Amino acid sequence: MACADKYTRKPITDIFTSDTDIDRRQCTRTVPMKVLLLGVGRTGTASMRAAMQQLGYVDTYHMMSCSIENPPDALLWMDALKAKYDGVGKPFEREDWDKLLGNAQAVCDWPACAFAEELIQAYPEAKVVLTGRDVDSWHASTMKTVYWRVTDHELRWLSNFSWAASMYYPMLKKFFDTFFEGDFPNRGKDVYKRHYENVKSLVPPENLLEFRVQDGWEPLCEFLGERVPYGQKFPKVNDNNDFVDRSRRRNRMQMLNVLAQIFEWIAILGLGLFLIYYFT
């Protein structure tokens, strides 16, 4: 049974978060895929998402698209990861990617970077941008942020009860266990280097831009054939300073959702007992 087939509707008691509930299995491509940003997360991918929006691209799919925006996406990502790394189910092809990414003209961050070869094959017409940074700086940043999230005991606990966390956390952990070979602290840097070499081997030089967010608008816009946004600084978002605080706030809101659902169950049970008592 595919993970996506385990999809359930968002509980009406999830009132403390603003997650959407879109079942992507019913979706198709609505805009052309134009840019594949295949650098790993924590290389300025959130800034790139904001930059692409400023350039007029219709959505750039990012890990946040399923972590805090539309959690059911995580089920499809889990199916893609299991097919690629475990041989379970059918490997994703263009039709499958169009369901998941069909509303986006660009895609970045993880888990998408794990599917560099598949996405390049699915969208040969798309340009490829490889965001990067110093590998030691990247590893230290990821250890303090996303890897911390993978090992976050609160999120793991929530995954047993929360509608959103039950889909997102298993996928996040699966990604790190597979793409980073189950040992991010010790193997992360080597995987990073291999990933970048692999992407460069897959893409003709004229269709590839190696880019750092410090480079600013000019090389990106020249590569994409876009005008440099007049008077706008290149965006800088999602730095290390507030990642943990934002994640913990997310945990608290999901805990409140769980409590609201418990109160709903108690109320229904109480009403049922009252009716049984009243009519007997």
Side-chain angles (χ1 to χ4, degrees), residues 11-275:
I12 61 172
T13 50
D14 272 26
I15 56 177
F16 295 98
T17 51
S18 57
D19 309 335
T20 59
D21 180 12
I22 301 170
D23 183 358
R24 302 283 186 201
R25 292 175 299 170
Q26 313 305 319
C27 295
T28 58
R29 179 151 297 283
T30 58
V31 292
M33 177 64 79
K34 292 185 174 181
V35 186
L36 307 174
L37 300 114
L38 298 177
V40 299
R42 305 309 301 174
T43 59
T45 51
S47 297
M48 291 298 294
R49 188 187 197 195
M52 299 299 286
Q53 183 179 20
Q54 287 181 229
L55 291 175
Y57 288 77
V58 180
D59 199 14
T60 295
Y61 198 99
H62 186 280
M63 174 70 96
M64 290 186 290
S65 300
C66 71
S67 64
I68 61 174
E69 294 173 13
N70 193 62
D73 288 1
L75 298 175
L76 281 171
W77 283 114
M78 180 65 98
D79 283 334
L81 288 165
K82 286 188 172 182
K84 180 180 178 77
Y85 292 103
D86 301 337
V88 176
K90 180 178 74 70
F92 272 35
E93 299 177 346
R94 181 162 181 153
E95 180 183 4
D96 305 293
W97 294 120
D98 281 348
K99 291 179 182 179
L100 182 55
L101 308 172
N103 64 319
Q105 289 189 303
V107 58
C108 69
D109 206 59
W110 29 49
C113 62
F115 300 96
E117 186 170 357
E118 291 85 348
L119 290 170
I120 291 168
Q121 183 175 357
Y123 304 108
E125 68 280 9
K127 294 189 174 183
V128 177
V129 177
L130 197 53
T131 55
R133 65 188 287 187
D134 171 76
V135 66
D136 293 321
S137 170
W138 165 81
H139 189 262
S141 172
T142 306
M143 285 292 295
K144 295 176 183 176
T145 53
V146 187
Y147 186 71
W148 168 84
R149 194 68 167 143
V150 176
T151 58
D152 180 6
H153 298 303
E154 284 186 354
L155 180 60
R156 184 174 63 183
W157 178 85
L158 275 166
S159 69
N160 296 303
F161 306 101
S162 163
W163 175 76
S166 70
M167 295 179 282
Y168 172 62
Y169 174 73
M171 185 277 293
L172 177 66
K173 188 174 187 305
K174 180 70 172 179
F175 168 78
F176 270 78
D177 285 346
T178 52
F179 185 72
F180 289 113
E181 302 172 353
D183 188 4
F184 177 79
N186 295 303
R187 302 187 66 82
K189 294 180 185 180
D190 288 338
V191 173
Y192 176 102
K193 294 173 184 176
R194 293 202 308 269
H195 172 74
Y196 280 76
E197 291 304 314
N198 182 50
V199 172
K200 286 187 280 187
S201 73
L202 295 170
V203 183
E206 65 273 14
N207 202 43
L208 174 68
L209 173 67
E210 295 185 62
F211 182 77
R212 297 193 177 199
V213 292
Q214 297 93 328
D215 298 339
W217 287 116
E218 283 75 12
L220 179 65
C221 290
E222 181 181 358
F223 176 69
L224 297 178
E226 306 287 354
R227 291 184 178 180
V228 174
Y230 178 75
Q232 298 183 38
K233 292 183 178 180
F234 196 89
K236 182 181 179 182
V237 296
N238 197 29
D239 61 19
N240 288 359
N241 295 333
D242 67 344
F243 183 96
V244 173
D245 288 341
R246 286 188 290 108
S247 297
R248 285 176 172 160
R249 284 196 298 272
R250 171 79 174 172
N251 286 353
R252 299 296 178 270
M253 294 302 102
Q254 291 183 110
M255 288 177 185
L256 290 174
N257 286 340
V258 172
L259 286 174
Q261 189 166 48
I262 291 172
F263 288 143
E264 179 192 37
W265 293 337
I266 292 173
I268 293 173
L269 178 60
L271 178 61
L273 292 174
F274 169 78
L275 293 174

